Amino acid sequence: MSEVAKDAPNAEEDVTGEPRRETPVDFFASLAELLVILLFAMTFVLQNFEIPPVPWKTRCSSATMSS
């Protein structure tokens, strides 16, 4: 049983025993995954820099300011 496990190629090698090369589809899939994760993280970081509403502008009207 151990001889069969030694001879079987692992997931990182193809049938010839050479390391498997990354295909263009694999490259673009990993690049898209990276961009999705970065955009997800950046939304939380950039939400901290949102300009809050000014509370005095919403409470005061032009009628109270003129008197």
Side-chain angles (χ1 to χ4, degrees):
M1 180 79 177
S2 63
E3 293 176 12
V4 174
K6 289 179 183 176
D7 293 337
N10 60 15
E12 297 295 324
E13 296 179 354
D14 59 5
V15 180
T16 61
E18 297 177 6
R20 188 174 81 82
R21 291 182 51 100
E22 186 176 33
T23 63
V25 175
D26 290 335
F27 170 73
F28 287 117
S30 63
L31 186 63
E33 179 183 359
L34 176 69
L35 290 175
V36 166
I37 292 171
L38 283 175
L39 285 173
F40 182 76
M42 289 303 293
T43 55
F44 294 108
V45 171
L46 293 177
Q47 279 180 355
N48 291 329
F49 297 107
E50 178 185 0
I51 299 173
V54 181
W56 61 269
K57 282 190 175 180
T58 57
R59 284 185 283 167
C60 297
S61 65
S62 60
T64 59
M65 290 179 70
S66 63
S67 23

XYZ file of all heavy atoms in Angstrom:
520
model
N 0.823 -1.192 0.000
C 0.000 0.000 0.000
C 0.866 1.254 0.000
O 0.553 2.215 -0.659
C -0.911 -0.039 1.222
C -1.811 1.142 1.350
S -3.179 0.950 0.246
C -4.104 2.367 0.636
N 1.966 1.286 0.741
C 2.813 2.464 0.790
C 3.524 2.694 -0.534
O 3.832 3.824 -0.875
C 3.822 2.345 1.930
O 4.673 1.246 1.687
N 3.789 1.634 -1.308
C 4.433 1.805 -2.605
C 3.503 2.504 -3.586
O 3.942 3.313 -4.391
C 4.858 0.446 -3.156
C 5.955 -0.215 -2.344
C 6.284 -1.594 -2.868
O 5.829 -1.939 -3.976
O 6.990 -2.322 -2.177
N 2.229 2.210 -3.510
C 1.271 2.852 -4.400
C 1.169 4.335 -4.067
O 1.119 5.179 -4.952
C -0.122 2.174 -4.280
C -1.160 2.931 -5.099
C -0.045 0.731 -4.717
N 1.155 4.676 -2.797
C 1.050 6.074 -2.392
C 2.288 6.863 -2.807
O 2.188 8.041 -3.144
C 0.857 6.164 -0.889
N 3.456 6.237 -2.804
C 4.674 6.931 -3.216
C 4.689 7.182 -4.714
O 5.218 8.191 -5.171
C 5.904 6.113 -2.840
C 6.186 6.079 -1.360
C 7.410 5.238 -1.085
C 7.677 5.129 0.404
N 8.807 4.253 0.693
N 4.122 6.268 -5.491
C 4.147 6.395 -6.943
C 3.040 7.302 -7.478
O 3.137 7.796 -8.590
C 4.014 5.020 -7.599
C 5.238 4.150 -7.316
O 6.301 4.731 -7.020
O 5.125 2.920 -7.379
N 2.016 7.553 -6.705
C 0.902 8.366 -7.178
C 1.322 9.835 -7.215
O 1.936 10.335 -6.282
C -0.300 8.200 -6.259
N 0.994 10.544 -8.316
C 1.336 11.974 -8.380
C 0.449 12.763 -7.430
O -0.724 12.457 -7.248
C 1.069 12.341 -9.832
C 0.085 11.330 -10.315
C 0.357 10.075 -9.534
N 1.026 13.779 -6.816
C 0.214 14.615 -5.924
C -0.479 15.701 -6.737
O -0.331 15.784 -7.954
C 1.066 15.200 -4.787
C 2.196 16.068 -5.281
O 2.205 16.478 -6.427
N 3.147 16.359 -4.424
N -1.235 16.546 -6.070
C -2.030 17.558 -6.764
C -1.156 18.618 -7.425
O -1.582 19.262 -8.369
C -2.984 18.210 -5.776
N 0.068 18.801 -6.966
C 0.948 19.827 -7.519
C 1.757 19.335 -8.722
O 2.443 20.116 -9.357
C 1.914 20.328 -6.431
C 1.219 21.005 -5.272
C 0.515 22.278 -5.682
O 1.057 22.988 -6.554
O -0.563 22.546 -5.152
N 1.701 18.051 -9.023
C 2.473 17.512 -10.137
C 1.540 16.857 -11.137
O 0.506 16.318 -10.783
C 3.484 16.471 -9.640
C 4.551 17.035 -8.726
C 5.516 15.963 -8.239
O 5.279 14.785 -8.524
O 6.483 16.325 -7.569
N 1.917 16.917 -12.427
C 1.119 16.228 -13.424
C 1.614 14.791 -13.573
O 2.408 14.305 -12.776
C 1.146 16.985 -14.756
C 2.553 17.137 -15.309
O 3.485 16.588 -14.709
O 2.703 17.810 -16.336
N 1.157 14.098 -14.589
C 1.475 12.677 -14.754
C 2.961 12.459 -15.022
O 3.533 11.457 -14.599
C 0.624 12.088 -15.914
C 0.927 10.618 -16.120
C -0.848 12.303 -15.647
N 3.639 13.386 -15.647
C 5.053 13.221 -15.971
C 5.958 13.451 -14.772
O 7.151 13.177 -14.841
C 5.473 14.188 -17.091
O 5.275 15.524 -16.633
C 4.662 13.947 -18.354
N 5.408 13.963 -13.659
C 6.214 14.209 -12.475
C 6.737 15.622 -12.382
O 7.376 15.989 -11.413
N 6.496 16.432 -13.424
C 6.928 17.827 -13.392
C 5.887 18.669 -12.670
O 4.706 18.334 -12.664
C 7.106 18.348 -14.823
C 8.189 17.625 -15.593
C 8.291 18.125 -17.023
O 7.603 19.103 -17.357
O 9.048 17.535 -17.787
N 6.298 19.756 -12.047
C 5.322 20.633 -11.388
C 4.311 21.181 -12.402
O 4.668 21.495 -13.539
C 6.162 21.762 -10.804
C 7.547 21.229 -10.744
C 7.666 20.202 -11.830
N 3.070 21.282 -11.974
C 2.004 21.762 -12.853
C 2.143 23.258 -13.054
O 2.325 24.009 -12.102
C 0.649 21.457 -12.207
C -0.530 21.741 -13.101
C -1.816 21.282 -12.463
N -2.341 22.216 -11.489
C -3.056 23.289 -11.781
N -3.325 23.571 -13.035
N -3.500 24.089 -10.840
N 2.070 23.708 -14.312
C 2.167 25.140 -14.629
C 0.803 25.785 -14.485
O -0.217 25.176 -14.756
C 2.679 25.335 -16.049
C 4.132 24.940 -16.219
C 4.615 25.207 -17.627
N 4.308 26.559 -18.052
C 5.176 27.570 -18.048
N 6.408 27.355 -17.648
N 4.834 28.761 -18.456
N 0.805 27.044 -14.078
C -0.440 27.780 -13.937
C -0.934 28.223 -15.313
O -0.186 28.810 -16.094
C -0.218 29.000 -13.050
C -1.472 29.743 -12.716
C -1.221 30.898 -11.764
O -0.132 31.488 -11.847
O -2.098 31.172 -10.947
N -2.178 27.946 -15.607
C -2.757 28.328 -16.894
C -3.243 29.776 -16.814
O -3.402 30.325 -15.721
C -3.938 27.409 -17.253
O -4.964 27.582 -16.273
C -3.502 25.950 -17.286
N -3.476 30.400 -17.965
C -4.005 31.772 -17.936
C -5.347 31.875 -17.210
O -5.620 32.874 -16.546
C -4.148 32.136 -19.412
C -3.154 31.281 -20.107
C -3.104 29.999 -19.330
N -6.179 30.844 -17.305
C -7.464 30.863 -16.607
C -7.236 30.841 -15.100
O -7.902 31.565 -14.346
C -8.336 29.669 -17.051
C -9.621 29.611 -16.253
C -8.637 29.753 -18.538
N -6.295 30.031 -14.637
C -5.958 30.007 -13.211
C -5.437 31.366 -12.742
O -5.767 31.828 -11.652
C -4.895 28.948 -12.912
C -5.415 27.539 -13.053
O -6.632 27.330 -12.906
O -4.582 26.639 -13.299
N -4.627 31.992 -13.578
C -4.075 33.292 -13.228
C -5.170 34.343 -13.073
O -5.203 35.080 -12.089
C -3.063 33.742 -14.297
C -2.624 35.162 -14.145
C -1.768 35.528 -13.125
C -3.085 36.140 -15.020
C -1.362 36.849 -12.976
C -2.693 37.456 -14.874
C -1.824 37.810 -13.851
N -6.086 34.408 -14.050
C -7.150 35.411 -13.983
C -8.137 35.104 -12.864
O -8.694 36.022 -12.255
C -7.861 35.529 -15.329
C -7.033 36.229 -16.366
C -6.623 35.567 -17.508
C -6.632 37.544 -16.182
C -5.840 36.204 -18.452
C -5.847 38.192 -17.120
C -5.458 37.523 -18.264
N -8.345 33.828 -12.558
C -9.233 33.473 -11.448
C -8.629 33.915 -10.120
O -9.328 34.459 -9.260
C -9.487 31.972 -11.449
N -7.345 33.705 -9.937
C -6.707 34.130 -8.694
C -6.618 35.651 -8.612
O -6.751 36.230 -7.535
C -5.313 33.504 -8.559
O -4.468 33.947 -9.593
N -6.429 36.312 -9.747
C -6.398 37.773 -9.767
C -7.779 38.346 -9.424
O -7.881 39.313 -8.653
C -5.945 38.270 -11.147
C -5.720 39.763 -11.294
C -4.601 40.231 -10.383
C -5.410 40.102 -12.735
N -8.835 37.746 -9.961
C -10.195 38.203 -9.652
C -10.514 37.978 -8.177
O -11.138 38.833 -7.536
C -11.203 37.461 -10.528
N -10.070 36.855 -7.634
C -10.282 36.584 -6.206
C -9.574 37.630 -5.345
O -10.137 38.132 -4.368
C -9.771 35.191 -5.875
C -9.919 34.805 -4.436
C -9.325 33.443 -4.136
O -8.811 32.787 -5.053
O -9.376 33.049 -2.952
N -8.377 37.978 -5.713
C -7.627 38.990 -4.971
C -8.325 40.345 -5.022
O -8.432 41.037 -4.002
C -6.209 39.105 -5.546
C -5.330 40.189 -4.948
C -4.969 39.838 -3.512
C -4.089 40.376 -5.780
N -8.824 40.728 -6.194
C -9.500 42.011 -6.322
C -10.792 42.051 -5.511
O -11.107 43.082 -4.897
C -9.795 42.303 -7.792
C -8.570 42.617 -8.648
C -8.974 42.773 -10.106
C -7.879 43.871 -8.155
N -11.532 40.956 -5.481
C -12.767 40.915 -4.705
C -12.467 41.066 -3.220
O -13.133 41.822 -2.504
C -13.535 39.602 -4.990
C -14.628 39.375 -3.973
C -14.111 39.623 -6.389
N -11.444 40.374 -2.743
C -11.082 40.465 -1.324
C -10.594 41.869 -0.986
O -10.953 42.431 0.058
C -10.027 39.402 -0.977
C -10.653 38.002 -1.075
C -9.439 39.628 0.400
C -9.669 36.868 -0.972
N -9.787 42.471 -1.855
C -9.300 43.831 -1.607
C -10.435 44.854 -1.598
O -10.467 45.740 -0.734
C -8.261 44.225 -2.660
C -6.877 43.629 -2.468
C -5.981 44.004 -3.643
C -6.265 44.114 -1.175
N -11.366 44.734 -2.535
C -12.492 45.667 -2.560
C -13.362 45.506 -1.323
O -13.861 46.482 -0.766
C -13.319 45.458 -3.828
C -12.698 45.996 -5.107
C -13.537 45.579 -6.312
C -12.573 47.497 -5.049
N -13.547 44.270 -0.884
C -14.341 44.012 0.315
C -13.691 44.660 1.530
O -14.350 45.317 2.329
C -14.481 42.503 0.512
C -15.312 42.129 1.699
C -16.689 42.223 1.659
C -14.714 41.669 2.860
C -17.463 41.880 2.748
C -15.472 41.323 3.963
C -16.855 41.433 3.906
N -12.382 44.506 1.660
C -11.671 45.081 2.802
C -11.620 46.601 2.714
O -11.776 47.296 3.722
C -10.264 44.504 2.884
N -11.426 47.135 1.514
C -11.309 48.585 1.362
C -12.624 49.300 1.644
O -12.610 50.462 2.050
C -10.819 48.932 -0.047
C -9.362 48.567 -0.280
S -8.240 49.322 0.897
C -8.391 51.031 0.455
N -13.768 48.645 1.445
C -15.032 49.308 1.754
C -15.112 49.625 3.237
O -15.592 50.698 3.617
C -16.237 48.441 1.353
O -16.123 47.170 1.980
C -16.324 48.281 -0.139
N -14.636 48.731 4.084
C -14.673 48.991 5.515
C -13.644 50.045 5.923
O -13.894 50.849 6.814
C -14.441 47.696 6.300
C -15.551 46.715 6.116
C -15.362 45.580 5.365
C -16.793 46.941 6.684
C -16.395 44.679 5.189
C -17.832 46.051 6.519
C -17.638 44.912 5.766
N -12.513 50.063 5.281
C -11.493 51.062 5.607
C -11.950 52.445 5.163
O -11.833 53.417 5.912
C -10.151 50.697 4.927
C -9.148 51.821 5.066
C -9.597 49.408 5.517
N -12.501 52.543 3.974
C -12.891 53.855 3.448
C -14.165 54.387 4.092
O -14.405 55.592 4.057
C -13.053 53.783 1.931
C -11.750 53.527 1.180
C -12.015 53.397 -0.315
C -10.738 54.616 1.449
N -14.982 53.536 4.682
C -16.176 54.019 5.366
C -15.809 54.854 6.593
O -16.585 55.705 7.012
C -17.057 52.843 5.806
C -17.911 52.301 4.700
C -18.758 51.140 5.161
O -18.637 50.681 6.287
N -19.597 50.647 4.278
N -14.645 54.640 7.142
C -14.212 55.422 8.296
C -13.898 56.869 7.921
O -13.855 57.733 8.790
C -12.986 54.793 8.942
C -13.319 53.486 9.605
O -14.424 53.300 10.095
N -12.367 52.584 9.612
N -13.661 57.157 6.653
C -13.323 58.500 6.207
C -14.504 59.232 5.617
O -14.350 60.280 5.006
C -12.182 58.442 5.187
C -10.921 57.889 5.764
C -10.485 56.627 5.426
C -10.176 58.638 6.653
C -9.319 56.106 5.967
C -9.010 58.139 7.200
C -8.586 56.868 6.856
N -15.712 58.713 5.800
C -16.909 59.373 5.295
C -17.125 60.671 6.071
O -16.962 60.710 7.286
C -18.121 58.466 5.455
C -19.409 59.091 5.008
C -20.603 58.208 5.300
O -20.421 57.120 5.844
O -21.715 58.644 4.991
N -17.485 61.736 5.376
C -17.724 63.021 6.029
C -19.078 62.944 6.728
O -20.097 62.735 6.068
C -17.694 64.169 5.014
C -16.326 64.226 4.341
C -18.040 65.499 5.681
C -16.247 65.208 3.202
N -19.113 63.115 8.037
C -20.396 63.040 8.742
C -21.245 64.280 8.470
O -20.711 65.351 8.160
C -19.990 62.970 10.213
C -18.652 63.600 10.257
C -17.992 63.328 8.932
N -22.555 64.158 8.586
C -23.402 65.345 8.377
C -23.200 66.346 9.517
O -22.922 65.971 10.647
C -24.815 64.780 8.386
C -24.707 63.484 9.106
C -23.315 62.970 8.854
N -23.310 67.623 9.189
C -23.124 68.673 10.189
C -24.443 68.844 10.929
O -25.454 69.215 10.321
C -22.698 69.989 9.525
C -22.488 71.081 10.564
C -21.438 69.772 8.713
N -24.482 68.576 12.240
C -25.761 68.615 12.943
C -26.361 70.018 13.067
O -27.568 70.161 13.073
C -25.444 68.046 14.325
C -23.979 68.002 14.444
C -23.395 68.129 13.076
N -25.547 71.073 13.140
C -26.101 72.415 13.312
C -26.813 72.906 12.065
O -27.702 73.733 12.130
C -25.044 73.413 13.755
C -23.902 73.596 12.801
C -22.738 72.927 12.793
C -23.845 74.524 11.716
N -21.944 73.355 11.763
C -22.600 74.343 11.087
C -24.701 75.480 11.211
C -22.210 75.073 9.978
C -24.308 76.217 10.110
C -23.077 76.013 9.505
N -26.449 72.395 10.888
C -27.129 72.811 9.661
C -28.524 72.214 9.578
O -29.415 72.808 9.008
C -26.327 72.390 8.430
C -25.158 73.279 8.137
C -24.579 72.945 6.785
C -23.477 73.921 6.440
N -22.891 73.626 5.123
N -28.719 71.061 10.145
C -30.029 70.442 10.056
C -30.994 71.014 11.094
O -32.191 71.024 10.890
C -29.919 68.918 10.253
O -29.285 68.657 11.511
C -29.116 68.279 9.141
N -30.490 71.498 12.232
C -31.344 72.034 13.279
C -31.737 73.483 13.043
O -32.807 73.928 13.405
C -30.666 71.925 14.649
C -30.695 70.506 15.199
C -30.135 70.486 16.584
N -28.679 70.581 16.458
C -27.867 70.845 17.453
N -28.345 71.075 18.650
N -26.571 70.898 17.284
N -30.859 74.271 12.458
C -31.123 75.688 12.269
C -31.828 75.923 10.939
O -31.501 75.318 9.938
C -29.821 76.492 12.267
S -28.963 76.402 13.829
N -32.753 76.805 10.955
C -33.391 77.204 9.702
C -33.025 78.644 9.425
O -32.500 79.375 10.277
C -34.910 77.038 9.802
O -35.425 77.927 10.766
N -33.363 79.155 8.278
C -33.016 80.528 7.941
C -33.826 81.523 8.745
O -33.388 82.655 8.980
C -33.215 80.758 6.439
O -34.575 80.519 6.111
N -35.015 81.156 9.203
C -35.856 82.068 9.996
C -35.234 82.320 11.373
O -35.269 83.447 11.866
C -37.259 81.487 10.153
N -34.675 81.315 11.983
C -34.086 81.503 13.317
C -32.747 82.212 13.230
O -32.347 82.875 14.174
C -33.937 80.166 14.046
O -33.116 79.318 13.271
C -35.274 79.524 14.316
N -32.046 82.058 12.145
C -30.749 82.688 12.023
C -30.869 84.188 11.763
O -30.004 84.966 12.124
C -29.940 82.030 10.901
C -29.500 80.621 11.241
S -28.594 79.853 9.924
C -27.082 80.766 9.959
N -31.959 84.636 11.128
C -32.097 86.055 10.804
C -32.559 86.884 11.995
O -32.402 88.090 12.004
C -33.066 86.243 9.639
O -34.347 85.778 10.028
N -33.184 86.284 13.017
C -33.674 87.080 14.130
C -32.655 87.287 15.210
O -31.605 86.994 15.321
C -34.895 86.484 14.805
O -35.064 85.159 14.637
